[in-house]
Amino acid sequence: MSSPLSAALEPRMSKPDWLASPKVLRTEVLAGLVVALALIPEAISFSIIAGVDPGVGLFASFTMAVVISVVGGRKAMISAATGAVALVIAPLNREHGLGYLVAAVILAGVFQVVLGALGVAKLMRFVPRSVMVGFVNALAVLIFMAQVPEVRDVPWAVYPLVVAGLALMVFFPKVTRTVPAPLVSIVVLTVITVAAGIAVPTVGDRGELPSSLPVPGLPDVPFTMDTLTLIAPYALAMALVGLMESLMTAKLVDDITDTHSDKTRESVGQGIANIVTGFFGGMGGCAMIGQTMINVRVSGARTRLSTFLAGAFLMVLCIVFGPVVSDIPMAALVAVMVMVSVATFDWHSVRPKTLKRMPPGETVVMATTVIVVVATHNLAVGVVVGSVTAMVIFAKRVAHLADVSGVVDPDGTQVVYSVTGELFFASSNDLVHQFDYKGDPDDVVIDLSGTHIWDASSVAALDAVETKYARRGKKVTVTGLNEPSAHMRRRLAGQLTDSH
């Protein structure tokens, strides 16, 4: 049996998907180019958030995309420098410098490899569908909100350019889908602004693009226990946020493409990519949902080639075509991201007909996830809060499903109570109060064939029932337990309270 780590590193012996046909190859190449163009301003923005030079974010996006295209578990997903990771590690860079940030990125990668090997990806099964829908809708809102600053206090020409970009992306696919509409929009708007000499904010205004490839090296920090204890909390936070965002994105792409991906391999792959990125002086990252949506939903990419080329084209565009890329108007990229936000939002989930049919608790969970994500700008926090809310609502819903009904024998010497439903910490709280301790005959039978004991709280509740009857000199017989329930009761009965 191969380990998750070996699975992440195993070579692909079969023919690559992108060699299936010239059409697939063309789609993957053009998708990678569109994503690379969209990555540049994003990476620069996240570098600013983290308090580092633009090159640090651009290098991270290059190495993350290239490495994850080989070792990742989800085809066509884009990993690069992200805002979530930038927010986590910004305080470390601000207080201690870039060397400690890079060391934290490497340690975060190690944590992700370990967590992936331990099977942390299996926790995704506990994320309810309503949380997933809220996650997607919140993401769409965040993508749209991130574009708002780009259209504030700008020359008036920005607005018609954005409208023109949106129009191109809506109507160009009706003419042909051979070339991705976002790429056409970017090229056309760039040509117009340069040819007409229109003064609008451009990619070059965000920061200077790198002129050479990154060089590997060790982080400039003392290799001591003090350094480790300093960076460990930041590294663990980055590892958890990165895995959460990456696994949620992988699940979203699974649903869009109707394919399954290896989440364990993706978790390990994210760690390997961050380790490599750290040694190349990058700020680390994780899956980028916005760019992944451009790649998968807008451009139609489905293979690892688009992910690899997104990173490769990013460096080529910066190093070889830096002056040209610097002239791309931000309005063109704003239009692309607005289109992505519209395509990402699950409009079906907010239709009145859907909301009317949906259980109120599901709607509450979805709304809670959206509100928390938008308020904190942290997708991981929103997913955790949404999942906890869903669990609380579920527990409340089933808490009163344990039903107790008693039947007294005709001769009045015995009463048989039948318990149905699930017994766990929420439902077992009411169990103690559903028996007539004073009025029942001396022989009491509790039939549990219609239920299951899930936890110690339920065993403690049964102990309490027996104790209350025993104080009145009455005998209790428990019957009908299935084997797991009987085993738990044998192990815990009488051991949950101090008898002294």
Side-chain angles (χ1 to χ4, degrees), residues 380-394:
V381 172
V383 170
V384 171
V385 173
S387 298
V388 171
T389 303
M391 292 175 189
V392 171
I393 291 174
F394 173 76

Side-chain angles (χ1 to χ4, degrees), residues 18 23 51 65 85 136 151 157 192 207 234-235 246 252 262 278 285 288 346 444 486:
W18 45 270
K23 182 180 178 182
V85 168
V136 170
V151 294
I192 290 174
Y234 295 96
S246 299
L252 176 60
D262 188 339
M288 293 191 77
D346 187 348
V444 179

Side-chain angles (χ1 to χ4, degrees), residues 276-302:
V276 173
T277 296
F279 282 119
F280 276 91
M283 59 182 276
C286 62
M288 293 191 77
I289 307 174
Q291 271 63 25
T292 298
M293 289 299 100
I294 293 176
N295 197 45
V296 175
R297 177 164 275 175
V298 179
S299 301
R302 292 292 183 271

Side-chain angles (χ1 to χ4, degrees), residues 97-147:
L98 180 61
Y100 286 87
L101 181 151
V102 171
V105 169
I106 295 172
L107 183 58
V110 174
F111 283 148
Q112 288 177 329
V113 170
V114 173
L115 289 169
L118 291 175
V120 70
K122 295 177 182 177
L123 295 176
M124 284 300 296
R125 71 183 68 177
F126 296 107
V127 178
R129 180 188 176 278
S130 52
V131 173
M132 190 68 193
V133 173
F135 168 83
V136 170
N137 290 345
L139 163 67
V141 172
L142 287 182
I143 293 174
F144 183 83
M145 289 175 60
Q147 310 316 308

Side-chain angles (χ1 to χ4, degrees), residues 459-473:
V459 176
L462 288 173
D463 285 351
V465 171
E466 288 186 314
T467 300
K468 287 180 178 292
Y469 276 118
R471 287 174 182 166
R472 292 169 174 80

Side-chain angles (χ1 to χ4, degrees), residues 127-188:
V127 178
R129 180 188 176 278
S130 52
V131 173
M132 190 68 193
V133 173
F135 168 83
V136 170
N137 290 345
L139 163 67
V141 172
L142 287 182
I143 293 174
F144 183 83
M145 289 175 60
Q147 310 316 308
V148 174
E150 304 295 341
V151 294
R152 283 180 179 165
D153 302 321
V154 293
W156 67 269
V158 168
Y159 302 107
L161 285 172
V162 171
V163 173
L166 291 171
L168 277 170
M169 284 183 284
V170 170
F171 295 109
F172 187 80
K174 300 181 186 299
V175 178
T176 178
R177 293 183 178 272
T178 303
V179 181
L183 180 58
V184 173
S185 178
I186 292 170
V187 171
V188 169

Side-chain angles (χ1 to χ4, degrees), residues 454-456 459 463 484-496:
W454 288 102
D455 58 11
V459 176
D463 285 351
S485 299
H487 175 72
M488 181 174 286
R489 187 162 185 266
R490 283 194 301 268
R491 196 172 44 149
L492 297 177
Q495 307 297 317
L496 298 172

Side-chain angles (χ1 to χ4, degrees), residues 308-371:
F308 175 84
L309 290 178
F313 281 149
L314 175 65
M315 281 293 99
V316 172
L317 288 169
C318 290
I319 296 170
V320 180
F321 300 103
V324 177
V325 173
S326 296
D327 287 334
I328 295 175
M330 287 301 299
L333 299 174
V334 168
V336 171
M337 297 311 292
V338 168
M339 204 68 184
V340 169
S341 70
V342 172
T344 302
F345 197 91
D346 187 348
W347 297 101
H348 177 75
S349 67
V350 294
R351 288 176 184 166
K353 186 184 294 186
T354 304
L355 295 174
K356 190 179 295 183
R357 293 180 178 177
M358 193 70 64
E362 301 278 319
T363 303
V364 168
V365 170
M366 181 185 72
T368 299
T369 305
V370 172
I371 291 169

